[in-house]
């Protein structure tokens, strides 16, 4: 049993524009670190394109068709989100990689895995691209696993920005527990603690809205006080992580103080949870992260954790601002099924 790292040169062909932070250099930096310091227990896997059915399980047919129609072209979709001639193929391949890796882990063909994809996905809504994202890779992965027989999937998002597209897709459902820690208020403006789901899904969306400046120990409190206890009650059969590394202390787009150790501790805690509740079935999907050294070193650390070569714990010393954020989340969830 191995940890599968999914990479492909096609993801370097997505170019959002000169000086755009979501650049091919992000993957080049990750690949260089992985090549310089190979990780025992990992294998490299190739992706396949998402099927139309996989994409339309999450997005409207009109949105899928609009992105595919721009294959081989350049286009500006919104002030933050652009396409180059290789972007449509890269996006279809990113969602396909997410779907196939989720299936492979769900079926026990590999122990766990990390899809090192571009473009990212968690901001993409059903009907439109936004926030650097064309298709919602983690939502496609979750829907694919559910269609294959999974009954309960945990989607955990530790990107510094709230995964609005993922939340929207699963907001009224309980077959996916969506947990997000993110800087707030911040782009895209969603993710308040009172956003807990609706109807049958009430209580199955969990937002920890953090003020800027939180570090490794503060994220440890989020995981140990909120995410892990809720997930243990939920008993997911598969865990998917929207792994954004823009909470890193050096990231130019975020305002957090997480270090490589902190990301490794987050990954270690989620891996231990997966081993406890679902036979270790865990998939990480790359989202944000724009400081190249912080991104590449943190990705490498998480890959080491997945492969059993590293285990980290959170440091102690929680700051004064995290407790009110946790209290707000717990208050919003009071009386819901998992509380």
């Amino acid at each position: 049993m191995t940890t599968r790292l999914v990479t492909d040169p096609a993801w370097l062909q997505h170019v959002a524009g000169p000086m755009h932070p979501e650049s091919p250099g992000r993957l080049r930096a990750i690949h260089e670190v992985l090549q310089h310091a190979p990780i025992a227990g990992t294998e490299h896997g190739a992706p396949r394109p998402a099927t139309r059915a996989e994409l339309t399980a999450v997005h409207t047919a009109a949105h899928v068709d609009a992105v595919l129609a721009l294959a081989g072209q350049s286009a500006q979709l919104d002030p933050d989100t652009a396409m180059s001639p290789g972007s449509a193929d890269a996006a279809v391949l990113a969602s396909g990689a997410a779907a196939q890796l989720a299936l492979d882990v769900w079926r026990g063909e590999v122990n766990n895995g990390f899809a090192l994809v571009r473009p990212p996905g968690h901001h993409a809504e059903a009907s439109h691209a936004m926030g650097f994202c064309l298709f919602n890779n983690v939502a496609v992965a979750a829907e694919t696993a559910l269609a294959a027989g999974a009954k309960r999937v945990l989607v955990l998002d530790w990107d510094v920005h709230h995964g609005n597209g993922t939340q929207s897709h699963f907001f009224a459902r309980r077959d996916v527990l969506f947990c997000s820690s993110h800087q707030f208020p911040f782009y895209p403006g969603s993710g308040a603690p009172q956003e807990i789901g609706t109807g049958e899904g009430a209580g199955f969306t969990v937002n920890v809205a953090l003020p800027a400046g939180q570090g490794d120990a503060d994220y440890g409190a989020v995981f140990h006080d909120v995410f892990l206890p809720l997930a243990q009650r939920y008993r997911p059969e598969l865990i998917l992580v929207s792994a954004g590394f823009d909470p890193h202390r050096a990231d130019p787009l975020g305002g957090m103080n997480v270090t490589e150790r902190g990301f490794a501790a987050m990954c270690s805690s989620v891996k231990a949870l997966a081993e406890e509740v679902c036979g270790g079935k865990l998939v990480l999907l790359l989202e944000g992260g724009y400081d190249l050294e912080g991104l590449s070193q943190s990705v490498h650390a998480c890959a080491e954790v997945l492969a059993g070569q590293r285990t980290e714990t959170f440091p102690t010393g929680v700051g004064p601002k995290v407790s009110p954020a946790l209290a707000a989340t717990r208050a919003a969830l009071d009386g819901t099924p998992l509380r």
Side-chain angles (χ1 to χ4, degrees), residues 192-287:
Q194 295 78 21
E195 297 169 22
I196 62 167
T198 189
E200 182 179 291
F204 293 87
T205 292
V206 180
N207 284 300
V208 179
L210 295 168
Q214 306 312 296
D216 296 350
D218 304 305
Y219 274 79
V222 172
F223 275 69
H224 288 299
D225 293 0
V226 177
F227 289 168
L228 299 179
L230 291 176
Q232 286 162 345
R233 295 187 190 102
Y234 186 65
R235 311 297 291 185
E237 298 174 327
L238 174 69
I239 300 174
L240 306 175
V241 177
S242 274
F245 295 90
D246 38 11
H248 193 278
R249 62 184 178 184
D251 196 273
L253 299 191
M256 294 301 188
N257 287 312
V258 179
T259 69
E260 172 192 320
R261 176 187 174 181
F263 289 114
M266 284 188 253
C267 193
S268 294
S269 67
V270 177
K271 185 186 178 195
L273 170 69
E275 290 169 347
E276 175 187 349
V277 301
C278 59
K281 293 180 171 62
L282 172 62
V283 173
L284 272 60
L285 305 172
L286 184 64
E287 297 282 1

Side-chain angles (χ1 to χ4, degrees), residues 95-180:
S95 286
Q100 190 60 51
L101 187 56
L103 282 176
D104 290 344
V105 170
W106 166 249
R107 293 168 176 166
E109 296 177 15
V110 290
N111 215 26
N112 54 44
F114 199 154
L116 299 167
V117 300
R118 291 184 63 247
H122 70 156
H123 293 309
E125 295 276 6
S127 61
H128 60 275
M130 68 176 287
F132 309 168
C133 305
L134 301 182
F135 296 133
N136 195 310
N137 305 317
V138 73
V140 170
E143 288 286 16
T144 301
L146 292 166
K151 302 299 183 187
R152 294 178 307 281
V153 175
L154 168 62
V155 174
L156 194 154
D157 190 329
W158 69 51
D159 194 279
V160 79
H161 304 101
H162 181 246
N164 56 290
T166 312
Q167 174 174 292
S168 295
H169 186 69
F170 297 111
F171 203 58
R173 293 165 51 175
R174 59 175 58 194
D175 51 359
V176 171
L177 171 62
F178 175 65
C179 295
S180 176

